[in-house]
């Protein structure tokens, strides 16, 4: 006699969702492994109401699709909120929403690792690849992630959603910092927040919300920026966030306050961030994706705030130390630091030194384009208007409006 197959549907859904053993699923649901064995038997009992909801939420399928037969008169649990979020993400990506009855395709658990590997590659490529080349790849990867979500469940679905959130966060960073398209970045970050909610990843949610604060912050809209930072800090507490993440939130808020003209408040926030890093309490682990912030980057925030506060000697000292400590691979940030040093010298009435730093920034921009860095150079040139007839300023103009630099700027 052949051995009974048991509830093959539930077993297949369990494995595809990333729970290779019955014990793994039991742990995820908070039940004993004996209960899972009963559900995967030839005659699985109808789950209790709380377990019905948990199973539907975990696997994204109704109980009939999971191999359960409802007793007469029993209702199925309603679709979960996560299904609604997935549909919203799919619609935003331009994908047709798959009808519930037709959504039978199930990806294997390995799809999560494969999708994550591309996300990690894009994260590393951001620092060297031209934004106009990286952005289409990242957005295409995000479209794939939106298509995969309805085809995954459980731990697999959660991992795909988290990688999708990170991909959308990266795409928004390119749009805001590199392509200077804040409205587009706002839409992308909204989708990133939805994906972070799908993954139930509070730290990713905090990172996305803090990035959205840059948009009103850079526009001088302080109330909106502060409101978004309050939301970001709320999500970070749920994480819980580690010292580096908490310091970065201070740095983001400091930059927004600086842009809104509140440099004293900004410097207080920077000092608080320095204290957080110095204490380095046991708050949590640093997320792998938090690669855009380090103690050196905090010092860069500080130097810019000191510059805008008119504390020129302090700004010069801070920024020179940053330039000395900045890794060679941090080419984009290098253009920003050189631009800020040029601004310090321009404000101090040293046009030759200002032009020398600005030219160094342009040299780097020809290697790695960064719109934020070019903005710094243009600000310096405007500040040098009283010295525009001096040779060093004319030489700067020759570089600033050379064929390659002008074409690159206009193309972006």
């Amino acid at each position: 006699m052949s051995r009974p197959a048991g509830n093959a549907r539930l077993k297949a859904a369990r494995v595809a969702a990333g729970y290779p053993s019955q014990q793994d699923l039991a742990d995820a649901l908070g039940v004993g492994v004996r209960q899972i064995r009963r559900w995967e038997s030839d005659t699985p009992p109808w789950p209790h109401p709380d377990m019905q909801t948990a199973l539907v939420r975990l696997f994204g399928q109704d109980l009939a699709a999971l191999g359960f037969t409802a007793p007469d008169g029993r209702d199925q649990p309603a679709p979960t909120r996560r299904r609604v979020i997935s549909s919203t993400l799919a619609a935003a990506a331009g994908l047709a929403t798959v009808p519930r009855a037709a959504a039978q395709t199930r990806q294997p658990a390995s799809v999560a690792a494969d999708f994550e590997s591309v996300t990690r590659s894009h994260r590393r490529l951001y620092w060297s690849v031209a934004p106009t080349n990286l952005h289409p790849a990242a957005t295409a990867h995000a479209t794939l992630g939106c298509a995969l979500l309805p085809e995954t469940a459980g731990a697999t679905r959660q991992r795909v959603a988290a990688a999708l959130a990170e991909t959308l966060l990266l795409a928004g960073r390119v749009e805001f910092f590199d392509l200077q398209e804040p409205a587009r970045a706002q839409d992308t970050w909204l989708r990133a927040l939805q994906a972070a909610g799908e993954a139930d990843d509070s730290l990713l949610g905090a990172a996305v919300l803090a990035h959205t604060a840059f948009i009103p912050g850079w526009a001088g809209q302080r109330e909106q920026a502060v409101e978004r930072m309050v939301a970001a800090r709320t999500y970070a507490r749920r994480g819980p966030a580690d010292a580096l993440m908490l310091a970065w939130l201070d740095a983001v808020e400091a930059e927004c306050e600086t842009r809104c003209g509140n440099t004293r408040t900004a410097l207080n926030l920077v000092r608080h961030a320095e204290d957080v890093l110095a204490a380095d309490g046991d708050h949590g682990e640093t997320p792998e994706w938090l690669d855009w912030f380090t103690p050196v980057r905090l010092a860069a925030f500080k130097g810019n705030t000191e510059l805008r506060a008119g504390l020129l000697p302090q700004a010069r000292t801070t920024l020179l130390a940053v330039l000395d400590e900045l890794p060679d691979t941090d080419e984009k940030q290098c253009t920003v630091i050189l631009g800020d040093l040029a601004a310090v010298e321009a404000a101090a009435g040293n046009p030759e030194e200002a032009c020398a730093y600005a030219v160094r920034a342009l040299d780097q921009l020809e290697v790695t384009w960064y719109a934020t860095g070019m903005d710094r150079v243009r600000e310096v040139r405007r500040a040098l208007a009283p010295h525009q007839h001096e040779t060093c300023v004319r030489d700067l103009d020759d570089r600033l409006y050379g064929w390659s630099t002008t074409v690159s700027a206009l193309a972006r």
Side-chain angles (χ1 to χ4, degrees), residues 49-410:
D50 57 337
M51 285 295 103
Q52 294 176 30
T53 302
L55 286 164
V56 170
R57 180 185 297 112
L58 194 65
F59 292 111
Q61 302 180 62
D62 59 32
L63 294 177
L66 294 174
F68 295 98
T69 301
D72 294 340
R74 300 290 181 90
D75 294 329
Q76 293 269 5
T80 65
R81 177 176 173 269
R82 288 194 176 191
R83 184 179 297 276
V84 176
I85 295 176
S86 295
S87 299
T88 303
L89 282 166
L95 300 171
T97 302
V98 181
R100 186 175 181 183
Q104 298 299 324
T105 304
R106 277 293 174 264
Q107 296 292 338
S110 59
V111 75
D114 294 335
F115 188 76
E116 288 169 338
S117 68
V118 178
T119 297
R120 283 193 296 270
S121 296
H122 287 163
R123 183 199 308 152
R124 293 189 293 266
L125 289 171
Y126 173 76
W127 303 108
S128 59
V129 174
T132 50
N133 293 331
L134 179 61
H135 187 261
T139 54
H141 188 53
T143 299
L144 173 62
C146 291
L148 289 176
L149 272 184
E151 301 178 358
T152 55
T156 303
R157 182 192 193 93
Q158 191 170 28
R159 289 174 61 185
V160 170
L164 172 60
E166 183 188 337
T167 294
L168 289 166
L169 174 59
L170 174 66
R173 283 172 58 81
V174 174
E175 290 160 359
F176 185 79
F177 295 110
D178 298 84
L179 304 179
Q180 297 183 314
E181 299 180 7
R184 189 176 182 184
Q186 171 71 24
D187 292 340
T188 301
W189 284 333
L190 174 58
R191 292 170 59 202
L193 188 62
Q194 291 175 318
E198 182 81 19
D200 196 22
D201 192 322
S202 296
L203 290 184
L204 263 174
V208 174
L209 284 164
H211 274 84
T212 67
F214 281 125
I215 298 175
W218 284 33
Q221 300 168 345
R222 182 177 182 274
E223 280 191 20
Q224 292 184 31
V226 170
E227 183 177 0
R228 294 181 183 189
M229 286 307 304
V230 169
R233 292 183 187 281
T234 301
Y235 276 72
R237 285 196 299 271
R238 297 171 185 163
D242 75 319
L244 191 67
M245 180 81 173
L246 294 173
W248 175 68
L249 293 176
D250 281 337
V252 172
E253 190 166 359
E255 176 155 352
C256 292
E257 292 287 2
T258 297
R259 296 264 178 172
C260 294
N262 303 317
T263 53
R264 178 176 295 182
T265 301
L267 287 172
N268 287 334
L269 284 163
V270 169
R271 280 191 286 270
H272 183 265
E274 291 172 334
D275 292 342
V276 168
L277 288 178
D280 195 16
D282 186 16
H283 300 283
E285 294 184 6
T286 301
E288 182 184 359
W289 41 259
L290 185 57
D291 63 343
W292 60 75
F293 187 70
T294 63
V296 175
R297 289 293 189 95
L298 175 60
F301 275 101
K302 181 179 182 178
N304 179 259
T305 301
E306 290 172 336
L307 163 63
R308 293 176 182 267
L311 306 174
L312 301 184
Q314 295 93 322
R316 183 186 292 112
T317 299
T318 300
L319 292 168
L320 284 173
V322 170
L323 192 62
D324 185 57
E325 297 176 23
L326 204 65
D328 293 337
T329 55
D330 213 343
E331 297 169 340
K332 290 184 176 182
Q333 186 65 21
C334 182
T335 63
V336 173
I337 302 306
L338 289 169
D340 281 348
L341 281 167
V344 169
E345 299 305 336
N350 304 319
E352 290 189 5
E353 290 84 349
C355 290
Y357 281 123
V359 168
R360 287 177 61 185
L362 291 173
D363 289 341
Q364 186 60 60
L365 285 166
E366 287 189 352
V367 177
T368 306
W369 174 260
Y370 192 40
T372 304
M374 178 57 82
D375 283 346
R376 295 290 213 269
V377 176
R378 291 195 178 113
E379 288 177 8
V380 170
R381 179 57 185 88
R382 287 191 287 269
L384 289 171
H387 307 279
Q388 61 187 11
H389 298 300
E390 296 188 25
T391 302
C392 61
V393 179
R394 290 187 174 184
D395 290 343
L396 173 61
D397 287 343
D398 286 338
R399 286 297 310 281
L400 185 58
Y401 300 109
W403 284 112
S404 60
T405 309
T406 303
V407 171
S408 297
L410 291 177

